[in-house]
Amino acid sequence: MAGTAGKALNLKLKVWRQAGPDKEGRFVEYEARNISSDASFLEMLDVINVDLVKSGQEPIEFDHDCREGICGSCSMVINGSPHGPDRGTATCQLHMRRFRDGETIVIEPFRAKAFPIVKDLAVDRSAFDRIMQVGGFISVNTGNAPDANSLPVPKENADMAFAAATCIGCGACVAACKNASASLFVSAKLAHLALLPQGQAEREQRTLSMVAQMDEEGFGACTNTGACSAACPKEIDLENIARMNRDYFKASLRERSEKS
Amino acid sequence: MSVKLDANIPEGPIEQKWDKHRFSMKLVNPANKRKYQVIVVGTGLAGASASASLAELGYNVKTFCIHDSPRRAHSIAAQGGINAAKNYPNDGDSIYRLFYDTVKGGDFRAREANVYRLAQISNLIIDQCVAQGVPFAREYGGLLDNRSFGGAQVSRTFYARGQTGQQLLLGAYSAMMRQVGLGKVKLFPRREMLDLVLVDGKARGITVRNLTTGEIESHAADAVVLATGGYGNVYFLSTNAMKSNVTAAWRCHKKGAFFANPCFTQIHPTCIPRSGDYQSKLTLMSESLRNDGRVWVPKNKGDARPPQQIPEEDRDYYLERVYPSFGNLVPRDVASRQAKFRVDEGRGVGPTEEAVYLDFGDSIRRLGQKAIEAKYGNLFQMYEKITGENPYEVPMRIFPAVHYTMGGLWVDYNLQSSVPGLHVLGEANFSDHGANRLGASALMQGLADGYFIIPYTLGNYLAGQDLVKVDESHQAFKDSQQEVRAKTDKFFSIQGSKSVDEFHRELGQLMWNFVGMSRNAHGLEEVQNRIAGVREEFWQNLKMTGQRDYRNDELEKAGRVADFLEMGELMAKDALERRESCGGHFREEYQTPENEALRDDDKFCHVAAYEYQSQDSHKMAWQRHQEELSFEYVKLTTRSYK
Ligand SMILES: Cc1cc2nc3c(=O)[nH]c(=O)nc-3n(C[C@H](O)[C@H](O)[C@H](O)COP(=O)(O)OP(=O)(O)OC[C@H]3O[C@@H](n4cnc5c(N)ncnc54)[C@H](O)[C@@H]3O)c2cc1C
Ligand code: SF4
Ligand code: FES
């Protein structure tokens, strides 16, 4: 079926509209008519927005940029699932062929205390950057590096580190968690660096600092239900959380024994 | 009057220029660096690496980006890889060869000295990134793996599956966030630069809009570093992210920074074809796919059979046929043009007949599906999500799309623009790729500029200046805010009936048809008037909604499209004046009998740099300047990939 042209769909949307963080929000219904099944979900919203603008109304605001599942900007809960129904897919990669003609689609922002709503479907995820700035790095100034091949890394570790490093920082894990925990995000960063020889020197301090900042930002506790990994567009592994907990335990024991 | 552009290229043999220059540049002593304030606009590879490195040296850095997090800059989307002359595979690579390939790939329209420096620095970048923990692909022995890219016969591309840009950017972002934690970088996300502020003719600050609160802010500094990316979105449909724009660079242009080679744009051969009118952007399928995929179209016009049913003898592997020595790995401009020729001949495939096949059948049979999956898994998945087709079974359909802009603000060897104190890095400058960029060279250039060049050259600038103290209360900042506010007011006062996107699509269509893969004098003349027409309508018939003093995506877009509507005209003008074909700039009047680009080295072996002059009502005027290029090391020859 080399590229059948898309079918036309008519849909009903219930979209969360909220003018600002302290304003009251509500669902507003829209008709989406004649949407091609080959269009992406965000292109469907673009079509609605052009109509809204032309009729003098404010368009539905949402974060987006790359539209290819890599920048981590897009962030919506679609029919109850962060990033919608498909596994391993960011909102921007979702296509309308996934929906049935006549269906009602409910669209909400990611909801979490640490992610205040900015406007409509856009939320403030700067808490993630603040977690990164306390330890999500290897301290090496520009110009201090040895030859890249002077430090072989077993392929298996390199591959696991890469898998953890593919996190796009979208926050769907937080939105999916009933406690709004950021454990999957934080553990993915920690695992990426902990799996590499370069990351060892600061491993314990990094774990302690990032976990402490995560708590400070108001993210909830992890109870290991795994909703995060199921919603994650990059299918980041839950194993990373177990690794973070082990490292945290070890590091805090040492910290305590050093203090006493 | 035409000014002579001095590129400030150091004297001496090419392999010693940069080392000698580093020695002769003035230094700012460590205690004094603390006294300087530097502004960096942009947090892609170029801006993030510059912010981190400058802060490590001790400068106080203020860093701005339009995204909610600096990690979301467009660099994050780069897929295929980054070049370096490490010669790890021992296949004959060297700094000189990378230099040679890049000059030739750029069709002899780049500065030799810059390109040589880039090749020298390339190896340091890989070292730096590995030390930061960037998880490049490795071989079973634990050492780094390489692959090949277009325009090269050696394997020199380092990669992290299909997410190289993401991993490199996260490395640079982490290094920068470390400095944020240490208080040396102050981060201003969700800020759009809307003006450059000059005091005594020098860049001393910027005016930005806080994209969340709507507030207009002033920020003063001793120097401004611009790293705001490319302008491919002037075509509306491109592989660039939705918010990529020319606004910051354009506002600097209107404040005196020359714009160089605006017509040099890159059309990437392997993108997913567009599917309908609602299309908002195009998705690239990394060029690395051409390592294992074979490009073909049916031999016969109108062959409507599904690709799997077209037997070998009825397929035309046209790149292998026309270019036997480079085959599927010819440079991008050549591959794109060939695809266009096939479509123009009526041999395009797919529902729109505007596509060619990229077929992995042979490689899957030879190497197994697992091996292909390991190399390109995420790209295949991305393709399937967008098209609903499984590329392991059905060949991909691909078509060229606008991807990269070689043109940009003119800079000298020190990356300083024609405005003192304004330095430009990454895709926003014009410097190293000539008329065509080779794959995996943009990431290299962005990081070379940010990690290894600007930390030296900015010090040299600052140490040589006697800067008066300037803060945000200076009249120049007030005037600039006034100007920015007036423009915003204008958007709201028009009260027309067309949305920003509609104007943008209209402009994009004109650009693609007339200033796209092939251009001619008649079309380029006509399109300048038509762009001016769209611009005029824009200012009379734009519909703006929402608030001025809070987040407003329509307002953001309006500002960007207003600038694209001016930029587009300059691109057409430059394309018209460059009466030759070179690299990505293909003028139908100037081609060889085999349809290859025909350069005119006597008349056009130069960089064209435009000085903005005036705008009276709707007519715009520029003065064209030339920087002559000389080729002492790589002999001017006709590029051949046969
Ligand atoms: C899909 C795709 C794949 C690619 N793959 C490769 C590859 O494999 N290898 C390769 O070498 N190159 C590749 N490229 C090219 C390469 O990614 C880019 O050229 C490069 O990343 C540009 O980096 P930059 O730092 O100059 O700008 P960008 O990454 O574009 O960053 C621009 C920054 O400026 C900010 N900004 C923009 N405007 C403003 C404003 N007005 N005010 C304030 N801030 C602003 C943005 O927020 C952002 O932080 C690819 C490009 C695309 C589109
Ligand atoms: S772990 Fe997954 S869901 Fe969470 S931020 Fe990273 S990519 Fe998004
Ligand atoms: S828009 Fe970039 S991940 Fe969805």
Side-chain angles (χ1 to χ4, degrees):
Chain A
M1 43 156 261
T4 45
K7 281 191 316 215
L9 303 172
N10 293 313
L11 305 151
K12 192 174 274 166
L13 308 181
K14 287 172 93 169
V15 183
W16 187 261
R17 303 298 309 258
Q18 182 171 338
D22 309 320
K23 305 275 165 55
E24 203 155 326
R26 64 191 175 97
F27 281 106
V28 177
E29 292 196 11
Y30 300 95
E31 302 280 337
R33 289 188 193 287
N34 218 1
I35 302 293
S36 164
S37 60
D38 279 340
S40 73
F41 194 82
L42 297 185
E43 284 167 345
M44 181 270 295
L45 290 178
D46 292 341
V47 170
I48 307 248
N49 273 345
V50 167
D51 288 345
L52 287 176
V53 169
K54 293 181 74 154
S55 65
Q57 301 173 63
E58 284 194 40
I60 302 161
E61 301 232 357
F62 54 88
D63 280 323
H64 68 105
D65 197 29
C66 72
R67 298 206 173 185
E68 35 191 80
I70 194 74
C71 73
S73 295
C74 60
S75 45
M76 304 177 187
V77 176
I78 299 164
N79 288 341
S81 311
H83 290 311
D86 288 352
R87 263 194 103 91
T89 304
T91 302
C92 58
Q93 295 172 292
L94 184 63
H95 277 68
M96 297 312 293
R97 62 179 78 88
R98 190 64 178 72
F99 297 89
R100 288 185 322 274
D101 191 33
E103 195 172 333
T104 298
I105 307 177
V106 182
I107 311 174
E108 298 166 82
F110 282 2
R111 294 189 196 271
K113 190 171 98 203
F115 288 168
I117 290 181
V118 175
K119 188 171 180 183
D120 298 339
L121 304 171
V123 299
D124 176 355
R125 288 166 287 184
S126 53
F128 275 9
D129 287 321
R130 290 189 294 273
I131 295 174
M132 285 292 291
Q133 82 193 36
V134 301
F137 45 75
I138 289 170
S139 299
V140 50
N141 282 3
T142 304
N144 285 347
D147 181 80
N149 256 351
S150 63
L151 192 68
V153 182
K155 183 168 166 48
E156 200 184 330
N157 286 10
D159 286 350
M160 281 197 307
F162 171 78
T166 58
C167 162
I168 58 175
C170 63
C173 45
V174 175
C177 175
K178 61 181 177 2
N179 302 330
S181 164
S183 291
L184 194 64
F185 166 76
V186 175
S187 69
K189 190 74 235 169
L190 288 170
H192 159 210
L193 298 176
L195 283 159
L196 295 172
Q198 305 90 300
Q200 298 313 310
E202 297 165 290
R203 181 169 174 174
E204 293 194 354
Q205 190 49 50
R206 176 185 308 123
T207 310
L208 291 172
S209 310
M210 290 180 74
V211 170
Q213 188 65 31
M214 167 170 81
D215 294 341
E216 178 132 329
E217 295 290 345
F219 292 104
C222 170
T223 49
N224 269 313
T225 45
C228 50
S229 185
C232 171
K234 296 296 143 186
E235 307 186 83
I236 299 291
D237 204 321
L238 271 184
E239 175 60 29
N240 293 313
I241 299 187
R243 189 181 285 108
M244 170 174 80
N245 290 340
R246 282 196 301 274
D247 275 9
Y248 184 75
F249 185 66
K250 232 169 79 189
S252 46
L253 270 186
R254 189 196 312 269
E255 192 184 45
R256 244 177 287 158
S257 69
E258 275 166 9
K259 272 190 193 145
S260 60
Chain B
M1 191 198 66
S2 184
V3 296
K4 191 156 170 1
L5 286 171
D6 187 354
N8 291 313
I9 297 169
E11 296 295 319
I14 199 157
E15 57 286 350
Q16 291 171 22
K17 282 181 196 289
W18 177 233
D19 285 348
K20 281 193 166 161
H21 189 53
R22 279 196 299 168
F23 180 72
S24 64
M25 276 190 283
K26 297 188 203 75
L27 297 176
V28 179
N29 85 46
N32 276 344
K33 290 199 181 94
R34 284 187 273 120
K35 298 185 187 146
Y36 286 109
Q37 179 72 58
V38 178
I39 282 176
V40 177
V41 190
T43 60
L45 288 178
S49 59
S51 300
S53 307
L54 290 167
E56 286 163 9
L57 288 173
Y59 295 107
N60 301 303
V61 181
K62 281 183 169 186
T63 300
F64 297 79
C65 67
I66 51 180
H67 297 89
D68 63 332
S69 165
R71 67 180 286 155
R72 308 204 200 285
H74 167 58
S75 293
I76 201 92
Q79 300 173 351
I82 176 167
N83 286 332
K86 284 282 193 187
N87 193 30
Y88 286 154
N90 197 25
D91 56 358
D93 202 8
S94 62
I95 288 173
Y96 201 88
R97 186 180 292 278
L98 174 53
F99 157 67
Y100 176 90
D101 286 348
T102 308
V103 169
K104 176 183 167 201
D107 215 357
F108 302 92
R109 291 295 175 261
R111 245 183 235 147
E112 277 191 332
N114 282 53
V115 178
Y116 194 89
R117 173 177 65 184
L118 179 63
Q120 279 176 307
I121 289 174
S122 68
N123 291 340
L124 299 176
I125 296 172
I126 303 302
D127 298 341
Q128 184 63 31
C129 294
V130 167
Q132 290 169 343
V134 170
F136 284 122
R138 287 177 184 267
E139 295 168 345
Y140 284 97
L143 299 178
L144 294 161
D145 191 21
N146 287 126
R147 62 184 173 201
S148 24
F149 251 56
Q153 288 171 313
V154 293
S155 286
R156 62 160 73 100
T157 305
F158 294 78
Y159 66 101
R161 194 114 17 125
Q163 282 126 287
T164 316
Q166 179 194 29
Q167 295 309 318
L168 294 173
L169 183 61
L170 292 180
Y173 158 80
S174 305
M176 179 180 78
M177 291 312 284
R178 173 173 159 240
Q179 296 302 319
V180 172
L182 295 170
K184 290 306 288 182
V185 172
K186 206 161 166 348
L187 196 62
F188 295 86
R190 300 277 308 144
R191 301 298 200 290
E192 179 151 39
M193 172 175 168
L194 295 177
D195 200 14
L196 177 71
V197 179
L198 303 179
V199 175
D200 300 335
K202 292 177 189 154
R204 294 305 301 270
I206 60 176
T207 304
V208 301
R209 178 169 184 269
N210 180 324
L211 298 178
T212 302
T213 65
E215 209 172 317
I216 306 294
E217 306 169 350
S218 295
H219 296 271
D222 297 298
V224 176
V225 175
L226 199 74
T228 46
Y231 52 89
N233 275 348
V234 66
Y235 292 86
F236 186 73
L237 288 181
S238 84
T239 62
N240 287 10
M242 300 296 288
K243 293 181 199 288
S244 296
N245 67 86
V246 77
T247 288
W250 196 250
R251 309 276 167 110
C252 292
H253 174 55
K254 292 182 100 174
K255 286 283 155 83
F258 292 4
F259 213 110
N261 296 336
C263 81
F264 286 173
T265 51
Q266 178 162 82
I267 315 265
H268 194 291
T270 51
C271 302
I272 301 178
R274 106 197 172 101
S275 69
D277 295 337
Y278 46 80
Q279 192 90 28
S280 58
K281 69 158 292 195
L282 294 167
T283 301
L284 173 79
M285 290 281 102
S286 167
E287 162 162 320
S288 60
L289 292 169
R290 287 197 274 144
N291 271 303
D292 290 299
R294 299 177 69 196
V295 178
W296 64 275
V297 291
K299 274 205 178 127
N300 306 313
K301 260 194 216 176
D303 189 337
R305 288 176 286 180
Q308 307 94 306
Q309 289 172 22
I310 301 183
E312 278 302 303
E313 64 271 19
D314 289 343
R315 299 175 174 197
D316 177 13
Y317 294 93
Y318 57 88
L319 289 177
E320 298 169 24
R321 172 171 61 80
V322 184
Y323 307 100
S325 69
F326 278 70
N328 292 296
L329 286 175
V330 290
R332 293 176 174 174
D333 53 333
V334 177
S336 292
R337 220 144 39 227
Q338 284 290 335
K340 179 178 157 45
F341 292 155
R342 304 293 87 91
V343 166
D344 291 349
E345 283 164 14
R347 296 199 283 149
V349 302
T352 57
E353 297 182 358
E354 279 212 344
V356 299
Y357 291 123
L358 179 63
D359 195 337
F360 292 86
D362 280 350
S363 295
I364 291 174
R365 278 187 290 279
R366 191 164 36 99
L367 306 167
Q369 179 159 336
K370 271 256 154 1
I372 295 298
E373 212 175 304
K375 277 190 182 164
Y376 311 114
N378 72 315
L379 297 173
F380 277 52
Q381 199 188 15
M382 188 146 91
Y383 182 85
E384 182 165 7
K385 276 181 186 153
I386 292 174
T387 61
E389 288 175 10
N390 176 354
Y392 292 103
E393 288 165 10
V394 189
M396 288 183 178
R397 280 175 295 115
I398 53 160
F399 197 61
V402 172
H403 177 59
Y404 182 87
T405 50
M406 282 76 69
L409 292 180
W410 183 88
V411 290
D412 68 4
Y413 188 75
N414 295 317
L415 304 181
Q416 181 166 235
S417 73
S418 52
V419 173
L422 174 67
H423 293 71
V424 190
L425 321 183
E427 195 174 337
N429 74 23
F430 89 105
S431 64
D432 299 350
H433 308 292
N436 173 55
R437 173 176 72 76
L438 290 183
S441 289
L443 303 183
M444 170 171 73
Q445 182 226 330
L447 291 179
D449 289 358
Y451 282 134
F452 295 107
I453 301 175
I454 197 69
Y456 292 99
T457 59
L458 194 73
N460 183 50
Y461 168 75
L462 291 170
Q465 298 295 314
D466 200 4
L467 294 169
V468 293
K469 216 180 141 26
V470 166
D471 65 21
E472 287 83 359
S473 63
H474 193 285
Q475 187 60 34
F477 284 93
K478 294 184 186 149
D479 294 345
S480 167
Q481 284 213 9
Q482 192 72 38
E483 225 179 283
V484 165
R485 286 214 175 80
K487 194 158 189 166
T488 309
D489 289 344
K490 178 83 176 117
F491 289 137
F492 281 98
S493 71
I494 302 169
Q495 300 198 346
S497 65
K498 256 162 88 169
S499 73
V500 183
D501 284 359
E502 289 173 290
F503 287 107
H504 197 176
R505 275 179 202 277
E506 229 170 287
L507 170 69
Q509 194 68 51
L510 289 174
M511 295 301 294
W512 179 248
N513 291 345
F514 294 96
V515 202
M517 264 190 286
S518 82
R519 305 150 176 197
N520 62 55
H522 176 74
L524 290 168
E525 258 166 49
E526 179 188 328
V527 78
Q528 290 183 55
N529 292 327
R530 290 178 64 179
I531 293 168
V534 178
R535 192 168 64 231
E536 204 167 325
E537 195 200 338
F538 176 88
W539 286 108
Q540 283 164 10
N541 195 21
L542 176 71
K543 176 90 187 179
M544 181 54 56
T545 61
Q547 295 160 276
R548 199 172 313 221
D549 50 0
Y550 196 58
R551 176 175 165 134
N552 186 340
D553 289 1
E554 284 299 298
L555 181 58
E556 283 176 38
K557 287 193 289 188
R560 294 174 198 148
V561 172
D563 293 335
F564 281 139
L565 282 165
E566 297 179 359
M567 171 81 204
E569 184 174 329
L570 180 62
M571 289 166 71
K573 182 182 168 65
D574 182 42
L576 178 64
E577 306 232 347
R578 191 170 278 280
R579 289 179 298 280
E580 64 163 352
S581 294
C582 56
H585 170 63
F586 190 75
R587 281 282 299 266
E588 288 156 14
E589 306 92 317
Y590 311 101
Q591 51 180 308
T592 67
E594 297 87 44
N595 307 114
E596 303 294 343
L598 189 62
R599 288 199 323 260
D600 182 346
D601 292 329
D602 289 338
K603 297 205 193 79
F604 290 97
C605 195
H606 62 240
V607 176
Y610 291 83
E611 178 183 8
Y612 172 75
Q613 288 195 311
S614 67
Q615 190 165 8
D616 75 72
S617 71
H618 291 286
K619 192 93 197 101
M620 303 193 65
W622 289 273
Q623 166 87 39
R624 186 179 194 270
H625 304 288
Q626 289 176 203
E627 177 199 332
E628 299 303 328
L629 295 169
S630 65
F631 291 86
E632 292 168 36
Y633 294 86
V634 188
K635 247 188 38 228
L636 276 167
T637 48
T638 301
R639 272 192 327 171
S640 168
Y641 293 95
K642 306 240 166 187

